Coordinates of all heavy atoms in Angstrom, one line a residue:
M9 N 49.1 3.2 3.6 CA 47.9 2.9 4.4 C 46.7 2.8 3.5 O 45.6 2.5 4.1 CB 47.7 3.9 5.5 CG 48.8 3.9 6.6 SD 48.8 2.4 7.5 CE 47.5 2.8 8.7
S10 N 46.8 3.0 2.2 CA 45.5 3.1 1.5 C 44.9 1.8 1.2 O 43.7 1.7 1.1 CB 45.8 3.9 0.2 OG 46.7 3.2 -0.6
D11 N 45.7 0.7 1.0 CA 45.1 -0.6 0.5 C 45.2 -1.6 1.6 O 45.1 -2.8 1.4 CB 45.8 -1.1 -0.7 CG 47.3 -1.3 -0.5 OD1 47.8 -0.9 0.6 OD2 47.9 -2.0 -1.3
C12 N 45.2 -1.2 2.9 CA 45.3 -2.1 4.0 C 43.9 -2.6 4.4 O 43.8 -3.6 5.2 CB 46.0 -1.6 5.2 SG 45.0 -0.5 6.2
G13 N 42.9 -2.0 3.9 CA 41.5 -2.5 4.2 C 40.9 -1.8 5.4 O 39.9 -2.2 5.9
C14 N 41.6 -0.8 5.9 CA 41.1 -0.1 7.1 C 39.7 0.5 6.9 O 38.9 0.4 7.8 CB 42.1 1.0 7.5 SG 43.6 0.4 8.2
D15 N 39.6 1.1 5.8 CA 38.3 1.8 5.5 C 37.1 0.7 5.6 O 36.1 0.9 6.2 CB 38.3 2.5 4.2 CG 39.1 3.8 4.2 OD1 39.4 4.2 5.3 OD2 39.3 4.3 3.1
K16 N 37.4 -0.4 4.9 CA 36.3 -1.4 4.8 C 36.1 -2.0 6.2 O 35.0 -2.2 6.6 CB 36.8 -2.5 3.8 CG 35.7 -3.6 3.6 CD 36.2 -4.5 2.5 CE 35.4 -5.8 2.5 NZ 34.0 -5.7 2.8
A17 N 37.2 -2.3 6.9 CA 37.1 -2.9 8.2 C 36.3 -2.0 9.2 O 35.4 -2.4 9.9 CB 38.5 -3.2 8.8
Q18 N 36.7 -0.7 9.2 CA 36.1 0.2 10.2 C 34.7 0.5 9.8 O 33.8 0.8 10.7 CB 37.0 1.5 10.3 CG 38.3 1.2 10.9 CD 39.2 2.5 11.1 OE1 38.7 3.6 11.1 NE2 40.4 2.2 11.4
A19 N 34.4 0.5 8.5 CA 33.0 0.8 8.1 C 32.1 -0.3 8.5 O 30.9 -0.2 8.6 CB 33.0 1.0 6.5
N20 N 32.7 -1.5 8.7 CA 31.9 -2.7 9.0 C 32.0 -3.2 10.4 O 31.4 -4.2 10.8 CB 32.3 -3.8 8.0 CG 31.8 -3.6 6.6 OD1 30.6 -3.7 6.3 ND2 32.7 -3.1 5.8
I21 N 32.7 -2.4 11.3 CA 32.9 -2.9 12.6 C 31.6 -3.1 13.4 O 31.4 -4.1 14.1 CB 33.9 -1.9 13.4 CG1 35.3 -2.2 12.9 CG2 33.8 -2.1 14.9 CD1 36.4 -1.3 13.6
Y22 N 30.7 -2.1 13.3 CA 29.5 -2.2 14.0 C 28.7 -3.4 13.6 O 28.1 -4.1 14.4 CB 28.7 -0.9 13.9 CG 29.1 0.2 14.8 CD1 29.8 1.3 14.3 CD2 28.9 0.2 16.2 CE1 30.3 2.3 15.1 CE2 29.3 1.2 17.0 CZ 30.0 2.3 16.5 OH 30.4 3.2 17.3
E23 N 28.6 -3.6 12.3 CA 27.9 -4.8 11.8 C 28.5 -6.0 12.3 O 27.8 -7.0 12.7 CB 27.8 -4.8 10.3 CG 26.8 -3.8 9.7 CD 27.4 -2.4 9.6 OE1 28.5 -2.1 10.0 OE2 26.6 -1.5 9.1
L24 N 29.8 -6.0 12.3 CA 30.6 -7.2 12.8 C 30.3 -7.5 14.2 O 30.0 -8.6 14.6 CB 32.1 -7.0 12.6 CG 33.0 -8.1 13.0 CD1 32.9 -9.3 12.1 CD2 34.4 -7.6 13.1
L25 N 30.3 -6.4 15.1 CA 30.1 -6.6 16.5 C 28.6 -7.0 16.8 O 28.4 -7.7 17.7 CB 30.4 -5.2 17.2 CG 31.9 -4.8 17.2 CD1 32.0 -3.5 17.9 CD2 32.7 -5.9 17.9
R26 N 27.7 -6.5 15.9 CA 26.3 -6.9 16.1 C 26.0 -8.3 15.6 O 24.9 -8.8 15.6 CB 25.4 -5.9 15.5 CG 25.3 -4.6 16.3 CD 24.1 -3.8 15.9 NE 24.1 -3.4 14.5 CZ 24.4 -2.2 14.0 NH1 24.7 -1.3 14.8 NH2 24.4 -2.0 12.7
G27 N 27.0 -8.9 14.9 CA 26.8 -10.2 14.3 C 25.9 -10.2 13.1 O 25.2 -11.1 12.8
E28 N 25.9 -9.0 12.4 CA 25.1 -8.9 11.2 C 25.8 -9.3 9.9 O 25.1 -9.3 8.9 CB 24.6 -7.4 11.1 CG 23.6 -7.1 12.2 CD 23.2 -5.6 12.1 OE1 23.6 -4.9 11.2 OE2 22.4 -5.3 13.0
L29 N 27.0 -9.7 10.0 CA 27.7 -10.1 8.8 C 27.8 -11.6 8.7 O 27.9 -12.3 9.8 CB 29.2 -9.6 8.8 CG 29.3 -8.0 8.8 CD1 30.8 -7.7 8.8 CD2 28.6 -7.4 7.7
C30 N 27.6 -12.2 7.5 CA 27.8 -13.6 7.4 C 29.3 -13.9 7.5 O 30.1 -13.0 7.4 CB 27.2 -14.1 6.1 SG 28.1 -13.5 4.6
S31 N 29.6 -15.2 7.7 CA 31.0 -15.5 8.0 C 31.9 -15.2 6.8 O 33.1 -14.8 6.9 CB 31.1 -17.0 8.3 OG 30.5 -17.8 7.2
E32 N 31.3 -15.2 5.6 CA 32.1 -14.9 4.4 C 32.5 -13.4 4.4 O 33.6 -13.0 4.0 CB 31.2 -15.1 3.2 CG 32.0 -15.4 1.9 CD 31.0 -15.8 0.8 OE1 30.6 -17.0 0.9 OE2 30.7 -15.0 -0.1
E33 N 31.6 -12.6 4.9 CA 31.9 -11.1 5.0 C 32.8 -10.8 6.2 O 33.6 -9.9 6.1 CB 30.6 -10.3 5.1 CG 29.7 -10.3 3.9 CD 28.3 -9.8 4.2 OE1 27.7 -10.1 5.2 OE2 27.8 -9.0 3.3
S34 N 32.6 -11.5 7.3 CA 33.3 -11.1 8.5 C 34.7 -11.7 8.6 O 35.6 -11.0 9.2 CB 32.5 -11.6 9.8 OG 32.4 -13.0 9.8
A35 N 34.9 -12.8 7.9 CA 36.3 -13.4 8.0 C 37.4 -12.5 7.6 O 38.4 -12.3 8.4 CB 36.3 -14.7 7.2
P36 N 37.3 -11.8 6.4 CA 38.4 -10.9 6.1 C 38.6 -9.7 7.0 O 39.7 -9.2 7.2 CB 38.1 -10.5 4.6 CG 36.7 -10.8 4.4 CD 36.3 -11.9 5.3
I37 N 37.5 -9.3 7.6 CA 37.5 -8.1 8.5 C 38.1 -8.5 9.8 O 39.0 -7.8 10.3 CB 36.1 -7.5 8.7 CG1 35.6 -7.0 7.3 CG2 36.1 -6.5 9.7 CD1 34.1 -6.7 7.3
R38 N 37.7 -9.7 10.3 CA 38.4 -10.2 11.5 C 39.9 -10.4 11.3 O 40.7 -10.1 12.2 CB 37.8 -11.5 11.9 CG 36.4 -11.4 12.6 CD 35.9 -12.7 13.2 NE 34.5 -12.7 13.5 CZ 34.0 -12.1 14.5 NH1 34.8 -11.5 15.4 NH2 32.7 -12.1 14.7
E39 N 40.2 -10.9 10.1 CA 41.6 -11.1 9.8 C 42.4 -9.8 9.8 O 43.5 -9.7 10.3 CB 41.7 -11.8 8.4 CG 42.7 -12.9 8.2 CD 42.4 -13.6 6.9 OE1 43.0 -13.2 5.9 OE2 41.7 -14.6 7.0
H40 N 41.7 -8.8 9.2 CA 42.3 -7.5 9.2 C 42.5 -6.9 10.6 O 43.6 -6.4 10.9 CB 41.5 -6.5 8.3 CG 42.1 -5.1 8.3 ND1 43.1 -4.7 7.4 CD2 41.8 -4.0 9.1 CE1 43.4 -3.5 7.7 NE2 42.7 -3.0 8.6
L41 N 41.5 -7.1 11.4 CA 41.6 -6.6 12.8 C 42.8 -7.3 13.5 O 43.4 -6.6 14.3 CB 40.3 -6.8 13.5 CG 39.1 -6.0 13.1 CD1 37.8 -6.5 13.8 CD2 39.3 -4.5 13.4
D42 N 43.0 -8.6 13.2 CA 44.1 -9.3 13.9 C 45.4 -8.7 13.5 O 46.3 -8.7 14.3 CB 44.0 -10.8 13.5 CG 43.0 -11.5 14.3 OD1 42.5 -11.0 15.3 OD2 42.7 -12.7 13.9
S43 N 45.5 -8.1 12.3 CA 46.8 -7.7 11.8 C 47.0 -6.2 11.9 O 48.0 -5.7 11.5 CB 47.0 -8.2 10.4 OG 46.1 -7.6 9.6
C44 N 45.9 -5.5 12.3 CA 46.0 -4.0 12.2 C 45.7 -3.4 13.6 O 44.5 -3.3 14.0 CB 45.0 -3.5 11.2 SG 45.0 -1.7 11.0
P45 N 46.7 -2.9 14.3 CA 46.5 -2.3 15.6 C 45.5 -1.1 15.6 O 44.7 -0.9 16.5 CB 47.9 -1.9 16.1 CG 48.8 -2.6 15.2 CD 48.1 -2.9 13.9
N46 N 45.6 -0.4 14.5 CA 44.7 0.8 14.3 C 43.3 0.4 14.4 O 42.5 1.0 15.1 CB 45.0 1.5 13.0 CG 46.0 2.6 13.1 OD1 46.4 3.0 14.2 ND2 46.4 3.0 11.9
C47 N 42.9 -0.6 13.6 CA 41.5 -1.0 13.6 C 41.1 -1.8 14.8 O 40.0 -1.8 15.2 CB 41.3 -1.9 12.3 SG 41.4 -0.9 10.8
R48 N 42.1 -2.5 15.5 CA 41.8 -3.1 16.8 C 41.4 -2.0 17.8 O 40.5 -2.2 18.6 CB 42.9 -3.9 17.3 CG 42.8 -5.4 17.0 CD 43.5 -6.3 18.0 NE 44.8 -5.9 18.2 CZ 45.9 -6.2 17.4 NH1 45.6 -6.9 16.3 NH2 47.1 -5.8 17.7
D49 N 42.1 -0.9 17.8 CA 41.8 0.2 18.6 C 40.3 0.7 18.3 O 39.5 0.9 19.2 CB 42.7 1.4 18.4 CG 44.1 1.2 19.1 OD1 44.2 0.2 19.8 OD2 44.9 2.1 18.9
E50 N 40.1 0.8 17.0 CA 38.7 1.3 16.6 C 37.7 0.3 17.1 O 36.6 0.6 17.6 CB 38.7 1.4 15.1 CG 37.5 2.0 14.5 CD 37.4 3.5 14.8 OE1 38.4 4.1 15.1 OE2 36.3 4.1 14.7
E51 N 38.0 -1.0 17.0 CA 37.1 -2.0 17.5 C 36.8 -1.9 19.0 O 35.7 -2.0 19.4 CB 37.6 -3.4 17.1 CG 36.7 -4.6 17.5 CD 37.3 -5.9 17.5 OE1 38.6 -6.0 17.6 OE2 36.6 -6.9 17.4
T52 N 37.9 -1.7 19.7 CA 37.8 -1.5 21.2 C 36.9 -0.3 21.5 O 36.0 -0.4 22.4 CB 39.2 -1.2 21.8 OG1 40.1 -2.3 21.4 CG2 39.1 -1.2 23.3
V53 N 37.0 0.8 20.8 CA 36.1 1.9 21.0 C 34.7 1.6 20.7 O 33.8 1.9 21.4 CB 36.6 3.1 20.1 CG1 35.6 4.3 20.1 CG2 38.0 3.6 20.5
C54 N 34.5 0.9 19.6 CA 33.1 0.5 19.2 C 32.5 -0.4 20.2 O 31.3 -0.3 20.6 CB 33.1 -0.2 17.9 SG 33.4 0.9 16.5
I55 N 33.3 -1.4 20.8 CA 32.8 -2.3 21.8 C 32.4 -1.5 23.0 O 31.3 -1.7 23.6 CB 33.9 -3.3 22.2 CG1 34.0 -4.3 21.0 CG2 33.5 -4.1 23.4 CD1 35.2 -5.3 21.2
S56 N 33.2 -0.5 23.5 CA 32.9 0.3 24.6 C 31.6 1.1 24.4 O 30.7 1.2 25.2 CB 34.0 1.3 25.0 OG 35.3 0.7 24.8
L57 N 31.5 1.7 23.2 CA 30.3 2.5 22.9 C 29.1 1.6 22.9 O 28.0 2.0 23.4 CB 30.5 3.1 21.5 CG 31.3 4.4 21.4 CD1 31.4 4.9 20.0 CD2 30.7 5.5 22.3
T58 N 29.2 0.5 22.2 CA 28.0 -0.5 22.2 C 27.6 -0.8 23.6 O 26.4 -0.9 23.9 CB 28.4 -1.7 21.4 OG1 28.9 -1.3 20.1 CG2 27.3 -2.6 21.2
D59 N 28.6 -1.1 24.4 CA 28.4 -1.4 25.8 C 27.6 -0.3 26.6 O 26.7 -0.5 27.3 CB 29.7 -1.7 26.5 CG 29.6 -2.8 27.5 OD1 29.0 -3.8 27.1 OD2 30.1 -2.6 28.6
V60 N 28.1 0.9 26.4 CA 27.5 2.1 27.1 C 26.1 2.3 26.6 O 25.2 2.5 27.4 CB 28.3 3.4 26.7 CG1 27.6 4.6 27.1 CG2 29.7 3.4 27.5
V61 N 25.8 2.2 25.3 CA 24.5 2.3 24.8 C 23.6 1.2 25.3 O 22.4 1.5 25.7 CB 24.5 2.3 23.2 CG1 23.1 2.2 22.7 CG2 25.2 3.6 22.7
R62 N 24.1 0.0 25.4 CA 23.3 -1.1 25.8 C 22.9 -0.9 27.3 O 21.8 -1.1 27.7 CB 24.0 -2.4 25.6 CG 23.0 -3.6 25.6 CD 23.8 -4.9 25.7 NE 24.6 -4.9 26.9 CZ 25.9 -5.3 27.0 NH1 26.5 -5.7 25.9 NH2 26.5 -5.3 28.2
R63 N 23.9 -0.5 28.1 CA 23.6 -0.3 29.5 C 22.6 0.9 29.7 O 21.7 0.8 30.5 CB 24.9 0.1 30.3 CG 25.5 -1.1 30.9 CD 26.4 -0.8 32.1 NE 27.4 0.2 31.7 CZ 28.6 -0.2 31.3 NH1 28.9 -1.5 31.1 NH2 29.5 0.7 30.9
A64 N 22.7 1.9 28.9 CA 21.8 3.0 29.0 C 20.4 2.6 28.7 O 19.4 2.9 29.3 CB 22.2 4.2 28.1
C65 N 20.3 1.7 27.7 CA 18.9 1.2 27.3 C 18.4 0.3 28.4 O 17.2 0.4 28.7 CB 19.0 0.4 26.0 SG 19.4 1.4 24.6
E66 N 19.2 -0.5 29.0 CA 18.8 -1.4 30.1 C 18.3 -0.6 31.3 O 17.2 -0.9 31.8 CB 19.9 -2.3 30.5 CG 20.0 -3.5 29.5 CD 21.3 -4.3 29.8 OE1 22.0 -4.0 30.8 OE2 21.5 -5.2 29.0
E67 N 19.0 0.5 31.6 CA 18.6 1.3 32.7 C 17.3 2.0 32.5 O 16.4 2.1 33.3 CB 19.7 2.4 33.0 CG 20.8 1.9 33.9 CD 22.0 2.8 34.0 OE1 21.7 4.0 33.8 OE2 23.1 2.3 34.2
E68 N 17.1 2.4 31.2 CA 15.9 3.1 30.8 C 14.7 2.1 31.0 O 13.6 2.4 31.4 CB 16.0 3.6 29.4 CG 15.0 4.7 29.1 CD 15.4 5.5 27.9 OE1 16.6 6.0 28.0 OE2 14.7 5.6 27.0
R69 N 14.9 0.9 30.5 CA 13.9 -0.1 30.6 C 13.5 -0.4 32.1 O 12.4 -0.6 32.5 CB 14.3 -1.4 30.0 CG 13.7 -1.6 28.6 CD 13.6 -3.1 28.2 NE 14.9 -3.8 28.4 CZ 15.9 -3.8 27.5 NH1 15.8 -3.1 26.4 NH2 17.0 -4.5 27.8
E70 N 14.6 -0.5 33.0 CA 14.3 -0.8 34.4 C 13.5 0.3 35.0 O 12.6 0.1 35.9 CB 15.7 -0.9 35.1 CG 16.3 -2.3 35.0 CD 17.7 -2.3 35.4 OE1 18.1 -1.4 36.2 OE2 18.5 -3.2 35.0
N71 N 13.7 1.6 34.6 CA 12.9 2.7 35.1 C 11.6 2.9 34.5 O 10.8 3.8 34.8 CB 13.7 4.0 35.0 CG 15.0 3.9 35.8 OD1 15.1 3.2 36.8 ND2 16.0 4.7 35.3
C72 N 11.3 2.0 33.5 CA 10.1 2.2 32.7 C 10.2 3.5 31.9 O 11.3 4.1 31.9 CB 8.8 2.1 33.4 SG 8.5 0.5 34.2
A73 N 9.2 3.9 31.3 CA 9.3 5.2 30.6 C 9.2 6.3 31.6 O 8.4 6.3 32.5 CB 8.1 5.3 29.6
P74 N 10.1 7.3 31.4 CA 10.1 8.5 32.3 C 8.7 9.1 32.3 O 8.0 9.1 31.2 CB 11.1 9.4 31.8 CG 12.0 8.6 30.9 CD 11.1 7.5 30.4
A75 N 8.2 9.6 33.4 CA 6.8 10.1 33.5 C 6.5 11.2 32.5 O 5.4 11.1 31.8 CB 6.6 10.6 34.9
D76 N 7.4 12.1 32.3 CA 7.1 13.2 31.3 C 7.0 12.7 29.9 O 6.2 13.2 29.1 CB 8.0 14.4 31.5 CG 9.5 14.0 31.4 OD1 9.7 12.8 31.4 OD2 10.3 14.9 31.4
L77 N 7.8 11.7 29.6 CA 7.8 11.1 28.3 C 6.4 10.4 28.1 O 5.8 10.5 27.1 CB 8.9 10.1 28.1 CG 8.9 9.3 26.8 CD1 9.1 10.3 25.6 CD2 10.1 8.3 26.7
R78 N 6.0 9.6 29.1 CA 4.8 8.9 29.0 C 3.6 9.9 28.9 O 2.7 9.7 28.0 CB 4.6 8.1 30.3 CG 3.7 6.9 30.1 CD 3.5 6.2 31.4 NE 3.0 7.1 32.5 CZ 3.3 7.0 33.8 NH1 4.0 5.9 34.2 NH2 2.8 7.8 34.7
D79 N 3.6 11.0 29.6 CA 2.6 12.0 29.5 C 2.6 12.6 28.1 O 1.5 12.8 27.5 CB 2.9 13.2 30.5 CG 2.5 12.7 31.9 OD1 1.9 11.6 32.1 OD2 2.9 13.5 32.8
A80 N 3.8 12.8 27.5 CA 3.9 13.4 26.2 C 3.3 12.5 25.2 O 2.5 12.9 24.2 CB 5.3 13.7 25.8
I81 N 3.5 11.1 25.3 CA 3.0 10.2 24.4 C 1.5 10.1 24.5 O 0.7 10.1 23.5 CB 3.6 8.8 24.7 CG1 5.1 8.8 24.3 CG2 2.9 7.7 23.9 CD1 5.9 7.6 24.8
L82 N 1.0 10.1 25.8 CA -0.5 10.1 26.0 C -1.1 11.3 25.4 O -2.2 11.2 24.8 CB -0.8 10.0 27.5 CG -0.4 8.7 28.1 CD1 -0.7 8.7 29.6 CD2 -1.3 7.5 27.5
R83 N -0.5 12.5 25.6 CA -1.0 13.7 25.0 C -1.1 13.6 23.5 O -2.1 14.0 22.8 CB -0.2 14.9 25.4 CG -0.7 15.7 26.6 CD -0.1 17.1 26.7 NE 1.3 17.1 26.5 CZ 2.2 16.9 27.6 NH1 1.7 16.7 28.8 NH2 3.5 17.0 27.4
G84 N -0.1 13.0 22.9 CA 0.0 12.8 21.5 C -1.1 11.9 21.0 O -1.7 12.1 20.0
L85 N -1.4 10.8 21.8 CA -2.5 9.9 21.4 C -3.8 10.6 21.5 O -4.7 10.3 20.6 CB -2.5 8.7 22.3 CG -1.3 7.7 22.2 CD1 -1.4 6.6 23.2 CD2 -1.3 7.1 20.8
N86 N -4.0 11.5 22.4 CA -5.3 12.1 22.6 C -5.5 13.3 21.7 O -6.6 13.7 21.5 CB -5.5 12.6 24.1 CG -5.6 11.4 25.0 OD1 -6.0 10.3 24.6 ND2 -5.1 11.6 26.3
A87 N -4.4 13.8 21.1 CA -4.5 15.0 20.3 C -5.4 14.8 19.0 O -5.3 13.7 18.5 CB -3.2 15.5 19.9
Ligands
ZN12 ZN1 43.3 -1.4 9.6

């Protein structure tokens, strides 16, 4: 399992999912994901996590800043 590229693939999954890799960088990683169930699992986990974080951020934006956080920021500005 040492030279299958898992380390490289998993180290770059987040960048890949965020679209931060150029096609030259992402092609071999996508290729590896296609052929490696382990890394596909890892990709699935990363996708779920990314999704959860994004939803949490969207909910926070919808609620605006929580009141106590806003107060803390205002106190910080006035200090
Ligand atoms: Zn792998």
Side-chain angles (χ1 to χ4, degrees):
M9 291 295 278
S10 61
D11 63 346
C12 76
C14 287
D15 285 349
K16 183 170 162 44
Q18 293 184 16
N20 288 285
I21 281 178
Y22 279 106
E23 282 83 356
L24 180 72
L25 291 177
R26 284 198 301 258
E28 288 178 0
L29 300 180
C30 66
S31 54
E32 205 171 287
E33 290 169 317
S34 63
I37 295 168
R38 285 189 195 282
E39 223 166 86
H40 178 84
L41 290 173
D42 279 347
S43 63
C44 180
N46 269 348
C47 290
R48 262 208 311 280
D49 281 354
E50 189 71 19
E51 184 193 19
T52 307
V53 171
C54 287
I55 289 173
S56 319
L57 280 177
T58 305
D59 216 47
V60 166
V61 169
R62 203 195 54 228
R63 266 206 302 272
C65 289
E66 279 170 5
E67 275 169 28
E68 200 158 307
R69 261 205 309 277
E70 276 166 23
N71 297 334
C72 296
D76 51 355
L77 175 63
R78 206 183 51 208
D79 288 349
I81 293 169
L82 288 175
R83 268 200 307 277
L85 289 177
N86 292 333

